[in-house]
Amino acid sequence: MSSPDTPEVSATPVVLVGVDFGLPHFDGELEELGLLAQTAGLDPVARLTCKRKAPDAALFVGSGKADEIRMLAQMHGAKEVLFDQALSPAQQRNLERQLEMPVNDRTLLILEIFAQRARSHEGKLQVELAKLRYLSTRLVRRWSHLERQRGGIGTRGGPGETQIELDRRMINEAIKRTRERLDKVKRQRSTQRRQRERRDTFNISLVGYTNAGKSTLFNALVKARAYAADQLFATLDTTTRQLYLAEAGQSVSLSDTVGFIRDLPHGLVDAFQATLQEAVDADLLLHVVDAANPGFPEQIAQVQKVLAEIGASDVPQLLVFNKVDALAPEAQATQRQDTYELDGTPVPRIFVSARTGEGLAQLRAQLAATCISARTDGMTPGDTAELTGSDG
């Protein structure tokens, strides 16, 4: 609790808006957007959904629905409107004029959360690059006074250079500097990976939808203290530790990576390429799934989509259905099967609870078996017998 002398900082009240265009992943209750808003420190005070065949070119929702949103915001004292879909710069600007209050979209909200959560130098650089790219498309929104000129004596811009032109040039220069710094970090990471490869280390990366419990599982396996919380995007920075598998008689490299989410901004996928490279270069992906979330099939599909975007779709996967302690008994009975079909291909899966420890011994045994299989692949029968201690 805060002291009497410390003023309480109240969360900004916002109205959440979602438009159903008939796509299968539409969140009719706007639950995920609400969680994202709360994670960013906002207070959802009202929600509104509507159906359209296509976005309105000017206002995304049309003028009648925009007026309804404005009245709803006024009724609940909202200071901002938040859309579940990405808005174009022109739609955002027009909506702000119509609603007479700030309007933001899901893309900016995710960027803001990433900016709040990034801890490492690399993570901060990645978020900075993504925000700069986003901002570069929004200059038309920031500067309505395009007729204002800068130029002449003592200014960097030449005679007649408009404010928006100057800003665009400055942002492009900032993007270039940030990319150069990120490239340096990427080279350092490549050096570290090559060192691991020279040591013949088996590399495992944890991937999955945000809040599936990756960091909790990571901590349970390697007894680490990576930040883990029941919230979206608790982890942004990759953490790598050694995991000793007694059954295989060797240590493996285990990496905890950033979580994925529906409609993850492309700018973030590009910017986090250096971090996501851990997944691309892995020998095995532990795809962690929130088994207690009824929407887990859609979340699995979204993770597969991002893995394909970063070039990791061919890396072998083991599906880890986490949070089984939160499953009802009847749900456990229907779900507990040894495989799950990904794009028509059966993929092995295992059920665990990172919180209670249920299933972790089986997971370790499965990982050890995978390592032994990878180590013996291509060996002669004599080599295999020597490795396993068999007399043949």
Side-chain angles (χ1 to χ4, degrees):
M1 294 181 61
S2 59
S3 66
D5 298 330
T6 305
E8 290 283 346
V9 180
S10 58
T12 302
V14 296
V15 171
L16 308 183
V17 179
V19 184
D20 182 1
F21 295 112
L23 299 176
H25 62 249
F26 180 70
D27 181 2
E29 302 298 322
L30 299 180
E31 290 183 6
E32 190 169 84
L33 185 65
L35 286 172
L36 285 168
Q38 291 170 348
T39 301
L42 304 173
D43 177 22
V45 294
R47 305 177 187 218
L48 183 145
T49 60
C50 61
K51 288 188 176 183
R52 287 187 65 91
K53 291 183 178 179
D56 179 75
L59 292 168
F60 195 74
V61 291
S63 57
K65 191 59 66 174
D67 289 338
E68 187 179 337
I69 294 170
R70 183 177 61 198
M71 287 188 290
L72 185 66
Q74 291 172 349
M75 184 189 310
H76 291 273
K79 302 298 182 185
E80 184 179 324
V81 174
L82 191 58
F83 277 75
D84 196 27
Q85 291 90 0
L87 300 172
S88 72
Q91 289 167 338
Q92 191 171 15
R93 182 181 70 251
N94 294 336
L95 280 166
E96 289 189 336
R97 288 174 178 168
Q98 183 93 352
L99 304 181
E100 299 178 340
M101 67 177 61
V103 174
N104 286 304
D105 61 12
R106 180 186 181 91
T107 302
L108 181 65
L109 181 62
I110 293 174
L111 287 171
E112 288 296 339
I113 294 171
F114 272 52
Q116 292 173 11
R117 296 286 168 81
R119 293 290 178 266
S120 71
H121 175 60
E122 178 186 4
K124 290 176 181 177
L125 282 175
Q126 289 169 328
V127 175
E128 181 183 345
L129 178 58
K131 289 192 73 173
L132 284 169
R133 285 173 170 168
Y134 180 87
L135 182 61
S136 68
T137 67
R138 307 283 149 163
L139 288 177
V140 65
R141 172 174 171 250
R142 292 184 68 229
W143 299 104
S144 57
H145 52 286
L146 301 184
E147 73 283 353
R148 192 175 86 183
Q149 303 288 317
R150 277 195 178 184
I153 301 172
T155 61
R156 292 188 58 190
E161 185 176 43
T162 62
Q163 179 67 51
I164 193 170
E165 289 169 344
L166 180 62
D167 281 0
R168 182 172 285 117
R169 181 157 56 80
M170 291 175 66
I171 285 180
N172 286 338
E173 289 172 357
I175 288 174
K176 182 181 177 182
R177 288 194 303 270
T178 306
R179 289 178 76 169
E180 288 172 349
R181 293 160 71 189
L182 258 178
D183 285 343
K184 182 179 179 181
V185 173
K186 196 171 182 178
R187 288 193 297 271
Q188 292 171 344
R189 274 197 175 274
S190 295
T191 301
Q192 293 169 356
R193 278 193 294 271
R194 283 196 298 271
Q195 290 172 345
R196 289 204 301 265
E197 289 168 2
R198 281 197 293 269
R199 293 195 299 266
D200 288 329
T201 304
F202 191 84
N203 300 311
I204 302 172
S205 280
L206 290 164
V207 298
Y209 207 79
T210 183
N211 205 32
K214 294 184 302 301
S215 295
T216 304
L217 179 61
F218 180 81
N219 290 339
L221 287 172
V222 300
K223 304 298 187 290
R225 293 184 178 180
Y227 181 66
D230 185 18
Q231 56 188 211
L232 303 184
F233 299 118
T235 300
L236 290 187
D237 301 307
T238 298
T239 305
T240 301
R241 295 287 186 274
Q242 293 298 302
L243 168 63
Y244 182 69
L245 299 172
E247 298 93 333
Q250 73 177 87
S251 291
V252 298
S253 175
L254 184 67
S255 297
D256 185 20
T257 61
V258 62
F260 303 151
I261 196 168
R262 173 173 59 83
D263 299 330
L264 186 68
H266 285 290
L268 274 179
V269 175
D270 293 341
F272 273 76
Q273 193 67 43
T275 298
L276 297 174
Q277 193 67 31
E278 294 289 342
V280 178
D281 295 335
D283 297 297
L284 176 69
L285 297 178
L286 286 191
H287 182 163
V288 184
V289 179
D290 181 354
N293 190 315
F296 76 80
E298 170 65 21
Q299 294 184 348
I300 290 175
Q302 292 297 323
V303 172
Q304 294 301 115
K305 180 181 176 182
V306 177
L307 289 174
E309 286 182 20
I310 65 174
S313 56
D314 292 335
V315 180
Q317 292 186 39
L318 171 62
L319 286 167
V320 181
F321 275 62
N322 188 27
K323 305 186 183 181
V324 293
D325 55 303
L327 270 180
E330 58 272 17
Q332 290 198 37
T334 58
Q335 279 198 29
R336 283 186 180 266
Q337 299 171 352
D338 293 337
T339 60
Y340 183 90
E341 285 206 357
L342 287 181
D343 300 324
T345 304
V347 174
R349 67 171 169 177
I350 194 163
F351 293 84
V352 306
S353 169
R355 189 178 66 85
T356 67
E358 179 185 349
L360 292 186
Q362 293 95 313
L363 176 58
R364 283 175 170 271
Q366 179 70 47
L367 293 179
T370 303
C371 288
I372 292 173
S373 175
R375 200 165 56 190
T376 59
D377 187 28
M379 288 185 176
T380 65
D383 292 330
T384 306
E386 182 180 346
L387 180 68
T388 59
S390 170
D391 295 330

